[in-house]
Structure formats: structure tokens, C-alpha cells
Amino acid sequence: MSKNVVMVGAGVANVNAATKLIDNGFDGKITIIDMGKDPYLRPYEEVMTGFLGAGGWSDGKLTYHTSIGGQLSKYCGEEKAMELFDQVIDNFKRFHPKPEEVQCSNPIAEPDFIKPYFGLRLFPVWHVGTDYLHEIGKNWYDFLVDGGVEFHWEHKVIDIDFDNQELIAVCENPKLSLQCKYDKLIFGVGKSGIDFGKQLAEKYDLPTEPKPVQIGVRFEAPQKHFQKLIDISYDFKLYRKYEDKGVSLRSFCTNNNAAYVAVEETYGNHSYNGHAKKDEAFRNDMTNFGILMEVQGIDKPFDWSRDVVKKLQANGTGLYYSPKYTRQPSNTSEGNKVSSKQIGIDTLSHVVEPAMEGYFKYIIHFIEDMKKVFPTLEDDWGIYIPEVKYLSPEPLVNYEDLSLTKYPNIHFVGDALSARGITVSGAQGTYVAETLLEN
Ligand SMILES: Cc1cc2nc3c(=O)[nH]c(=O)nc-3n(C[C@H](O)[C@H](O)[C@H](O)COP(=O)(O)OP(=O)(O)OC[C@H]3O[C@@H](n4cnc5c(N)ncnc54)[C@H](O)[C@@H]3O)c2cc1C
């Protein structure tokens, strides 16, 4: 019986799950608890928390391929995964104030000029635009409230009693606490709740699947240097492998035209990401993207990444390096400098390289090869250090409904499970909602 569904996190995954339930006349109670704010009150600087979670303030690129953005087809198969992606993309269009402006880029062939240095991943991407995401959020939220969903904002869930099917959430201001029973719980806390997920996994000794390390930098340069490739693939993903070393690198999450670097705060440390605005008023003609390494074979990859990120902090923030000393960290879309400490080549060699335990050289190789492929680039670039994807060990779930193998009434979804992007997270939420409706 699943009449009382409680969702922890109002991120992309759970918002899509709730939408699926309401669209299909679910007659139980749906409660969503989030430590952030509703879309009317959520300020720009709260990048990770609040309605639609990290997806609500992201660069709004909806990738449409099962090999991008984390795991989905492994649970439900290719065909079902694509059908779930369609549902997520339809939702974003449905609540978009100007759905006709959502465009798809779909490169079909690798251009010769990037060979032999790089491969290019080819897949379609729907572009929503960060600025529209705020409006989408409000429309979507109103729909869910009208559909009867009960939201508790600014409540942080601090404990879940899996055995008694009960959770406790606290609100700091005003001081309140909420105790809540559930029949079914959907756990979608995203990256901002990754430490809480880990804590629960330890407390309940949940079996997990190991994950590789993903760490690197956010690269930024004037867009003109990459225009030739952007014309073919807006959100290009270059990749190369060093098979013998168990390292593969890829460019990740490319932003163009109105491209801004964003600071992510996880565990009190700074790392970087990026987003793109659609409104012409924000145009800065910059390109930014992650250069991420996937490293196999590291013992305790989650702890290793956290330790590396800690070593890459200075003055309470991350680092910025450019070989062209006149190039500085750029401005955010709100006109402030991207928080970072500018470093020179010495710190790069004596702090960054040892912190990354010999792996940083692969990033430098990647950049050197980009200089060959994009000859005008030369030294006209900067990197924000680090960018990291904390892939905590994935809790072992039943593939048919993403419920924990030890607790079948608790479902893990989104970045808290194995997703790394909006479409996959939303699709995992939708997938779980479908199973609740079936039952
Ligand atoms: C700057 C930035 C840009 C991005 N750009 C893109 C992009 O263009 N395309 C793409 O596919 N992906 C992008 N991503 C990744 C994407 O946003 C995430 O993969 C996606 O939002 C994950 O969805 P989710 O529902 O799992 O978690 P989230 O959307 O992160 O939501 C999790 C929610 O849980 C809440 N929460 C956490 N812990 C607790 C707790 N203990 N109690 C109560 N509430 C809690 C948080 O407040 C948050 O609202 C970007 C991420 C960032 C940070």
C-alpha cells in the first residue's frame, strides 16, 4: 500500500515523480520536504537547493542519450529509458513560458579536424536556458500545489528511521521540527545531500556498487576559439583515453554565448561548474566546460576525491590559473568575480600536481592537444580548480523500481543514486512513480 508518499528533496527527480503521480490521478498523499526555498523565494546564489534543486539554477541542457548523464538503461533497458527521457523533456516544455524556444542540437558526424587527438560524442541536447528555468519552476510548482502536493520548505531532513517508516526534519528559522510517517519514501537529495545519503548508507549498512573517481577542472576561454566545433555541436563532448593508465578524459557540460562559471559548495569546499543564459542581455561570448578525468582502480574513490578537493582550496575557495597573466577569473551573471584564488605556475606545480597525485598531467595533455586542434587558442584560457563529480558508492537497488534491496519501500533517485544530469534524474523519478502507480 503506498497511499502516503514522502519525497525528500524537491529536485528534478522528485518533481518529475510527483508530476507523474498527479498526471495519473494518484489518490494518495504526496509530501515533499526540501531544505531550500520555493521558486518564488529562491535567490540566485542558492545554486543547489530549492525547487528543481541543482537543475533549477543549472544551464538547462537536457541531454537525450543513455550514455550521457548517468545510469538509466541499466535499470530499465534502452527503449524504456528513451521513453522516460521524452516524458521529462515534455514536462520542461509544458511549463516553459515560450516552449517554441526550446531547441535541439543534434550533431551527426565527427569532424575531421579534431582527429586524431579527440573523439566527439554525438547525441542530441535540448536547450532550455537558465533564465527560463526560473519561470518554468514557478509554473511547475503552481501545478503541483494545485494538484494537492504538500511542500515543506527550508526543512532539512536529518534522520530517517527505515524500520519505523518515519523521518525527522528541522527548520532553523523559525525553529521547527517535523516528524513524518510514510508508506513509500523517495530519496532524491541530489549532490547537496550526498553526505546525508552516505550517512544513511553507513547507518543501515546498505550494500553498494563501487564507482570510479571523476575529477578535473572547469576550462574557460573566449568562444571564438571553439566556434568551428560549436557550429557542429553546441554542447560538444571531446574525449580521449589513456587505456594503459586506466584514465579517460572528456570535456563536460559546455556553455557558450552567455556562459558563466558557477561555484558549487559541497562539504564546505568550493568546486566549479558552469551555466549558460539564453537572454541576449547576458551575452559574454565566452565558452566554459569541465575537463573531467575518470580514474579507475582508486581505493575508496569518494574519500580520495574529497581529500583532493580539500587540498585544492585556498582562502576558503578554489583556485584559478591562466598561463596568460592578464587573464583573470571572469564575472558571474550577477556581476561579481567568480570566487577563486588566482595562482601562478609555481603553485600549479607544487600544490595542484601533488594534490592530484600525478593525474593532473593528463589535463595538461588534454589542453595542449586542444591548442593543436583550435590553433587560435594558444594561452588565451584559464582553469578553475577543481571540478568534481562526487560519485558516492551507488546503493544497491532493485532494478525494476529503484528500491533499496534491504528496504523495498525506500526508493533512491537522481544524483543520490547514479544520475549526473537533469534528464536521467527526472527519468529515474518518473520510473519510480510509474511503479507506485502500478501498485
Ligand atoms: C551549476 C550546475 C549546472 C548544471 N547544469 C546541468 C545541465 O545543463 N544539464 C544537466 O543535465 N545537468 C546539469 N547539472 C546537474 C543537474 O542539475 C543534476 O544532475 C540534477 O539536478 C539532479 O537532480 P536530483 O533531483 O537528483 O537532485 P537536485 O536537483 O540537486 O535536488 C536535490 C534537492 O534535495 C534537497 N536536499 C538535499 N539534502 C536534503 C535534506 N537533507 N533535507 C531536505 N532536502 C534536501 C536540496 O535542497 C535540493 O533541492 C548542473 C548542476 C549544477 C550544480
Side-chain angles (χ1 to χ4, degrees), residues 8-14 33-36 42 47-63 69 153 155-158 188-194 196 252-253 255 262 264 273-275 389 413-416 419-426:
V8 183
V12 176
N14 274 337
I33 304 168
D34 197 285
M35 63 186 183
R42 182 177 171 178
V47 176
M48 309 288 284
T49 59
F51 190 78
L52 277 177
W57 260 214
S58 72
D59 40 335
K61 290 196 297 280
L62 309 181
T63 54
W153 296 111
H155 276 74
K156 182 171 185 174
V157 177
I158 52 162
V189 295
K191 271 213 255 175
S192 52
I194 206 166
F196 183 44
F252 169 83
C253 175
N255 300 295
E264 274 183 18
N273 206 317
H275 59 90
K389 303 295 153 212
V413 289
D415 284 8
R420 289 195 298 274
I422 296 172
T423 338
V424 173
S425 297

Side-chain angles (χ1 to χ4, degrees), residues 212 241-248 293-297 359 362:
K241 279 188 178 158
Y242 298 89
E243 306 255 359
D244 50 328
K245 305 287 188 291
V247 180
S248 60
M293 293 182 283
E294 183 158 307
V295 186
Q296 304 286 341
Y359 290 105
Y362 296 106

Side-chain angles (χ1 to χ4, degrees), residues 157-159 193-205:
V157 177
I158 52 162
D159 198 13
I194 206 166
D195 44 353
F196 183 44
K198 196 162 176 268
Q199 189 188 313
L200 290 173
E202 279 162 12
K203 177 173 169 186
Y204 291 101
D205 196 18

Side-chain angles (χ1 to χ4, degrees), residues 66-67 70-82 85 399 424:
T66 50
S67 70
Q71 304 282 356
L72 181 61
S73 53
K74 98 167 174 192
Y75 309 119
C76 63
E78 283 285 320
E79 200 179 323
K80 179 67 191 170
M82 296 312 289
F85 284 163
Y399 283 11
V424 173

